[in-house]
Amino acid sequence: MPPQIYLNDVQRDLFSVVQARETILVAGRAFGKGMVHALFNRRNMERMPRSCTGIVSANTKRALTNTLPSMLVHWEKWGLKRNVHWCIGIKPPKAWNWPTPLAPISNWENVLSFYNGSIGFIISQDRTGTSNSFSFDALDVDEAKFIDPVQFHDESYMAMRGNRQYFGKHSYHHSMLISSDMPVTRKGSWFLEYDKKCDPELIDLIRGTVYEISITKKKVDDFTKRGVVPPEWLQKQLAGLHRDLCQLRAVAVDYREVSTIDNLVVLGENFIKQLKRDLPPLTFQTSVLCKRIGIMRDGFYSSMTEKHKYTAPNISHLDNMEYDFEKLKDVNSLMDADVDTKQPICVAFDYNANINWLVAGQPRGKKLYVLKSFYVKYERKLEELVADFCKYYRYHEHKRVIFYFDATAKQGAYAVNSSTFATVIANAFKRCGWIVTMKDIGPPMKQVVKHLLINRMFAGNAKLQPMINKGNNEDLLISIQTAAVYNGGKDKRGEKLVESEENKLESRTDGSDAFDTLCIGCETYPEHSSMIAVTSSW
């Protein structure tokens, strides 16, 4: 590894010192998890030629737009060039003279190949059975909070077997790296249990052994520099220490919880301040500071369960991108399989001086699919929010929105002119070339009535049942899942305090309020009967 590569203290300790067989890294955004995955996979692929690593992702969209690009950009910086040292999605041509992997490969579409015959098999949990027939020498799991733990255990973890005759001498054979930022759901918290398997004394013993090796090696080098053969006892001592180190690493579980601030030297203080300023407060707490929070078990949306969340990547479109990571940077609705491009999109908003939300959905059959949510903060206002929506859905065939709003949308837009929020939004859509159908649902529904209605919807006792695309609504789900009950309604007392230092753990309910308006509008004020007809086979 080139000496100019900077590793923060945690990265250096993980892969230059401890190197445990199982590493679980719960780290904030921009900590440098991509660097960790790049180090992990390069080590395994280089030192175990012709080996097979399972690279596990929740779905194809995340694998192609998040997991792989963040890792491979480091390989490129280290001089490992595409189609020279590695390739992806293709069978290495015979002219390259690369060794063949130990595992027979019939389809190379989901394979990351290394020049020494090692491969990384890309496992997307939305492709059922992608781990079948494979025998993995290592597992690499990114964004673990989105991983289905049962499917992971049954399909991927159980496939980490065999090949001991080739790589059994390595302490990192059958190694596993799991990384994520802090989850906020019970299902997404499965990997936090590794905390109980981590023995801090064993980790410290590994560090101490590495230190002893460095001291002993220096003694050996000193003899060599003087032209003297090192004593046999000293060489045996060094060999014994190396043997002990391998044995310790082979049984070690290294669990870490670190914040984005641990990468402050690279990111700079202003970047952290910008994240605090731009992210919803609870997202900042979990995704940046990596704080554990309590899961709301008796909150406002008590009937919502894991079955109300889904993922829907457009696999055929993503496959057609052929691992062109430049094109994949343009994330748009073509990557989603749950949007019916021939039908209008229902939208609802929440308005605030500091943060504004847009939640988009489509009724289909007896389901209300919550496709995606957007928010803007501070100097970015409603016009920018609408522009973000229109950019994402610019390939939508039928550019029409059903705009649901209540009486709060008829207020003046931040008291700067006579225009109302509703007028500003409608005009913004029209400027982007969208047709707007305005649906006034009247005064805001009383909190107690809203609580009963939306929970009936989640329970399947209404016309529509909300289903939320969890990949496109991460921040919205935090807002929904942590909304508490107060006096029979939603607890909104923390909204004025969320940006203060005294109350960092309070979560805004603004996003969930926009979700409420969408649910109420689609349930009680459908545009016309065909709006809830089955229009897609998805």
Side-chain angles (χ1 to χ4, degrees), residues 311-334:
T311 59
N314 186 347
I315 294 176
S316 61
H317 173 75
L318 291 165
D319 285 345
N320 288 336
M321 304 292 278
E322 296 182 339
Y323 296 99
D324 187 329
F325 294 117
E326 284 302 314
K327 291 182 180 179
L328 286 164
K329 288 179 181 178
D330 178 18
V331 180
N332 57 69
S333 61
L334 293 178

Side-chain angles (χ1 to χ4, degrees), residues 275-294:
L275 288 177
K276 184 176 186 298
R277 186 171 180 266
D278 290 346
L279 293 174
L282 190 58
T283 302
F284 181 80
Q285 291 291 306
T286 57
S287 296
V288 177
L289 298 184
C290 210
K291 298 288 188 180
R292 296 198 189 198
I293 64 167

